[in-house]
Amino acid sequence: MHITVKKGNLLDTKTQAIILAFYEDEKTFSKLVSSADQKTGGLLGDIIKSGDFKAKPSQVSVIYTRGLLLANRIALVGLGRKSELNLEKIRNAFAKVMQHLRDLNIKDAATSFDWNPMPDQKEKVIAAVAEGAILGLYQYTPYKTVGRDEIHEMRLLEIVADTKDYSVLQDEIKKTKIITDAVYFARNLISAPANEMTPSIMATHAEKIAKRKNVSCRLLDKGKLKALGMNALLGVASGSNQPPKFIILEYTGGQRGVAPIALVGKGLTFDSGGISIKPAEKMDEMKTDMSGGAAVMAVIMAAADLKLPINIVGLVPATENMSGGSALKPGDILKSYSGKTIEVLNTDAEGRLILADALSYASKYKPAAIIDIATLTGACIVALGEDVIGMLGTDEQMKKEINQAAQITGELVWELPLWESYSELIKSDIADYKNSSGRSGGAITAAAFLSKFVGNYPWVHLDIAGPAWAKKDKTYIPKGASGVTVRLLVEYLQQRIKE
Ligand code: BES
Ligand code: MN
Ligand code: ZN
């Protein structure tokens, strides 16, 4: 869907629907709404007086203007109580109203910002409207061939603004479009079935990203990985017929020689569990086990399109985790890229194996910070629920800044402790570490394991096992791949640049 910004008056816009926003606790109409009410002979006053539309958060009603306005319809959307308005409520409301209009097979709509109670935060409010609208309209349909005519798509949202707001709006919409495009990119990669999103196919997507200015892509294939000694990654890949790829994306928007931020993303294009095989039920969901890798690729894409003045290196170890005659076996010992040895007690704890090699490899860049993003543990879902990102790490400042970014993007982040004592639990009897220590504290012991491969760099680990995939519609995150952490990390990088 396109979003455009236009100077003028919303009520003079020729469109299928104009969208007006209302507060639950505000009884007097704004200038714009009064004028719409007058022109339509009191239609707006009527629906509000009737009690049918109360302006509860994300409530939507549509009324018909019978030729009294250029637009055939007015969509009313509720923002709840004015004093309780926040960015998340704005995203939700605009996702809901756009979904409602889309389902009516409406193709274009227009709206404005006369309701904005936070004039000092104009940019953020504008971005929230666009994010809600665009992200909420996401649909993954490439494999639907039957009944395609029932798939509705919005084409255009026009934002009609005063002359004085025009350039701020234009600029903000442009930036938001870049970020939501990146979220769509991640969602598309994650939604794709594993037979059509293999490590090699992920790698071709990375090469496409590298067509941008200041972005380059290198792929380490099996031979190179062997030569480097990335045996933890190779161990996980050994059961699969799909060759692994270690994807390296470098973005150099910053000054030459300035230490980059390293983003490391788990790229398990399918996790069957390997010999420690997963139950059949819901195993299909394990096509999403590359969500961290997709997020890393999307963030690099957005950073390049936003021309952020920063250096970033994205590392995505990509492989399948399968069982078979050459697969990793419980009890096998692997010598990782770092030289440390790992006893594989459970082949389903494969994410930490491939990340171990990737995190050690990140040291080559002497990064200013390392952030890894991974659908790492079911235990994180047990601890925090489906919607929450588990955050662990060694750097207090980074964790604080990631929390601040999350306040803005609406992604839910909660910190788990990473005390020394957890390291006891991952010691192996015969190797340096074991990759599984049972159920208790599973999200934390996984992070403790990763910490052994990070080296002496500020590091944060984000476990997205829960929120990577929405089990049901969540307003602007329709059921399915969420693209979680793409907006969070772009926001974090932007804040870091400002400092
Ligand atoms: N990819 C899974 C974690 C996961 C589970 C992600 C559910 C999304 C939804 C990971 O590779 C895994 O299997 N972890 C095991 C670790 C255990 C064997 C120590 C787990 O969480 O059960
Ligand atoms: Mn697994
Ligand atoms: Zn996994």
Side-chain angles (χ1 to χ4, degrees):
M1 183 187 66
H2 289 288
I3 297 201
T4 59
V5 184
K6 207 179 82 174
K7 290 179 200 171
N9 187 324
L10 180 60
L11 303 184
D12 301 330
T13 307
K14 188 161 170 39
T15 175
Q16 287 182 282
I18 59 173
I19 301 171
L20 297 176
F22 294 82
Y23 296 105
E24 212 179 320
D25 52 352
E26 193 158 77
K27 294 298 165 227
T28 51
F29 284 162
S30 70
K31 232 167 84 189
L32 177 73
V33 176
S34 313
S35 158
D37 192 48
Q38 266 165 25
K39 288 190 175 170
T40 58
L43 283 178
L44 292 167
D46 282 353
I47 185 167
I48 288 164
K49 256 180 252 136
S50 72
D52 292 1
F53 180 78
K54 296 196 172 62
K56 295 274 181 209
S58 299
Q59 188 187 0
V60 175
S61 290
V62 175
I63 58 176
Y64 296 84
T65 60
R66 310 184 76 190
L68 297 169
L69 283 183
L70 272 175
N72 311 338
R73 303 168 188 79
I74 300 175
L76 297 85
V77 62
L79 294 172
R81 294 175 165 279
K82 193 169 186 175
S83 58
E84 291 169 12
L85 188 70
N86 57 35
L87 297 175
E88 200 62 0
K89 285 216 176 96
I90 297 170
R91 289 183 196 106
N92 287 334
F94 278 83
K96 269 278 187 278
V97 69
M98 294 300 279
Q99 288 164 351
H100 191 106
L101 295 176
R102 189 237 347 248
D103 295 346
L104 296 175
N105 203 15
I106 286 168
K107 300 293 175 196
D108 56 88
T111 194
S112 74
F113 288 100
D114 65 300
W115 48 269
N116 179 19
M118 309 183 240
D120 52 323
Q121 293 197 53
K122 209 179 281 166
E123 289 86 351
K124 290 203 174 76
V125 170
I126 292 157
V129 169
E131 280 169 353
I134 298 171
L135 297 177
L137 289 174
Y138 179 79
Q139 308 179 84
Y140 186 74
T141 61
Y143 294 95
K144 289 275 184 204
T145 67
V146 178
R148 275 203 79 85
D149 46 348
E150 281 155 38
I151 300 171
H152 300 325
E153 261 175 77
M154 291 283 287
R155 279 197 215 108
L156 175 66
L157 176 63
E158 280 179 297
I159 294 175
V160 187
D162 284 351
T163 338
K164 68 172 173 24
D165 288 342
Y166 181 74
S167 62
V168 183
L169 270 171
Q170 276 235 314
D171 196 44
E172 204 54 39
I173 293 294
K174 213 171 123 193
K175 285 192 218 156
T176 306
K177 191 72 174 65
I178 289 173
I179 295 168
T180 55
D181 278 351
V183 175
Y184 268 46
F185 168 84
R187 287 180 180 179
N188 285 342
L189 254 59
I190 297 162
S191 304
N195 59 332
E196 299 203 0
M197 192 48 63
T198 60
S200 306
I201 297 173
M202 264 190 104
T204 62
H205 284 280
E207 284 176 316
K208 259 189 237 154
I209 292 173
K211 295 223 167 85
R212 289 168 172 75
K213 192 167 173 253
N214 290 334
V215 185
S216 63
C217 175
R218 268 194 308 139
L219 302 173
L220 310 183
D221 60 15
K222 208 167 161 178
K224 183 78 186 160
L225 294 171
K226 270 192 189 141
L228 285 169
M230 291 223 187
N231 299 314
L233 170 56
L234 287 167
V236 174
S238 65
S240 172
N241 290 333
Q242 292 294 337
K245 299 284 169 198
F246 190 100
I247 300 167
I248 304 172
L249 274 171
E250 289 178 40
Y251 169 63
T252 51
Q255 277 177 351
R256 219 172 225 279
V258 172
I261 310 281
L263 301 177
V264 180
K266 175 174 173 182
L268 247 300
T269 60
F270 188 72
D271 179 12
S272 73
I275 296 293
S276 314
I277 197 162
K278 287 181 181 296
E281 199 190 341
K282 295 197 185 149
M283 197 198 274
D284 58 290
E285 286 179 11
M286 282 301 119
K287 71 174 183 181
T288 68
D289 214 14
M290 34 58 79
S291 296
V296 167
M297 287 163 62
V299 171
I300 301 243
M301 181 172 165
D305 289 342
L306 291 167
K307 303 187 173 61
L308 297 186
I310 193 168
N311 296 329
I312 311 173
V313 49
L315 304 175
V316 181
T319 177
E320 288 184 336
N321 182 24
M322 302 293 278
S323 60
S326 57
L328 210 53
K329 302 171 291 298
D332 284 0
I333 294 180
L334 302 170
K335 192 176 186 76
S336 68
Y337 175 72
S338 70
K340 293 173 180 166
T341 55
I342 305 166
E343 185 185 13
V344 179
L345 289 184
N346 189 321
T347 65
D348 197 12
E350 83 300 335
R352 66 197 76 183
L353 297 176
I354 69 167
L355 290 174
D357 279 351
L359 287 166
S360 311
Y361 190 81
S363 296
K364 273 177 64 103
Y365 294 86
K366 299 197 165 45
I370 305 178
I371 303 175
D372 78 76
I373 307 100
T375 46
L376 200 63
T377 65
C380 193
I381 307 176
V382 174
L384 299 175
E386 297 277 350
D387 299 337
V388 182
I389 302 167
M391 174 168 73
L392 305 97
T394 52
D395 192 83
E396 297 308 317
Q397 183 63 20
M398 275 172 79
K399 285 187 281 192
K400 200 173 125 198
E401 286 171 11
I402 289 172
N403 262 324
Q404 279 164 357
Q407 296 299 318
I408 290 169
T409 66
E411 284 148 295
L412 303 174
V413 177
W414 197 257
E415 189 182 353
L416 296 170
L418 192 56
W419 294 308
E420 261 312 304
S421 54
Y422 290 102
S423 291
E424 289 303 313
L425 303 174
I426 52 159
K427 283 188 178 155
S428 158
D429 291 339
I430 59 169
D432 295 327
Y433 305 110
K434 56 186 179 189
N435 78 331
S436 168
S437 60
R439 293 162 67 94
S440 44
I444 304 175
T445 51
F449 180 94
L450 296 182
S451 73
K452 304 301 170 197
F453 299 88
V454 170
N456 206 9
Y457 297 96
W459 164 70
V460 168
H461 158 65
L462 300 174
D463 193 332
I464 57 167
W469 184 258
K471 293 220 163 68
K472 54 177 180 17
D473 285 335
K474 294 190 276 186
T475 55
Y476 67 90
I477 306 174
K479 181 177 172 180
S482 67
V484 73
T485 71
V486 175
R487 290 188 305 120
L488 176 72
L489 291 170
V490 173
E491 181 64 35
Y492 168 76
L493 293 172
Q494 282 175 316
Q495 280 184 21
R496 221 183 136 105
I497 291 162
K498 273 193 211 140
E499 276 161 22

